[in-house]
Amino acid sequence: MKPYCYMLLEGQKVSLGVHPDSVITEDYSLPDGTSVHVIVGQKEQDKLLALQGILDEED
């Protein structure tokens, strides 16, 4: 299971294995109590997805 919850720019919530310190995010708590790392900008989202691709290749 991937441990970190991210909110992408389009509002999609995803679980990824990329550590939040690897990209620029803002921590946010959703009304249901879920803690998410909100992506700050398209460049950071692209970086996040690229890093996740590398992790997926290593599995």
Side-chain angles (χ1 to χ4, degrees), residues 12-55:
Q12 179 185 7
K13 188 169 66 171
V14 296
S15 292
L16 302 173
V18 178
H19 193 282
D21 289 346
S22 300
V23 291
I24 299 172
T25 64
E26 288 290 330
D27 293 339
Y28 185 76
S29 292
L30 296 175
D32 66 2
T34 304
S35 180
V36 296
H37 304 282
V38 179
I39 296 301
V40 179
Q42 185 67 48
K43 184 176 177 181
E44 292 305 306
Q45 180 171 296
D46 294 345
K47 182 178 173 184
L48 171 68
L49 297 176
L51 290 169
Q52 184 60 46
I54 291 168
L55 291 177

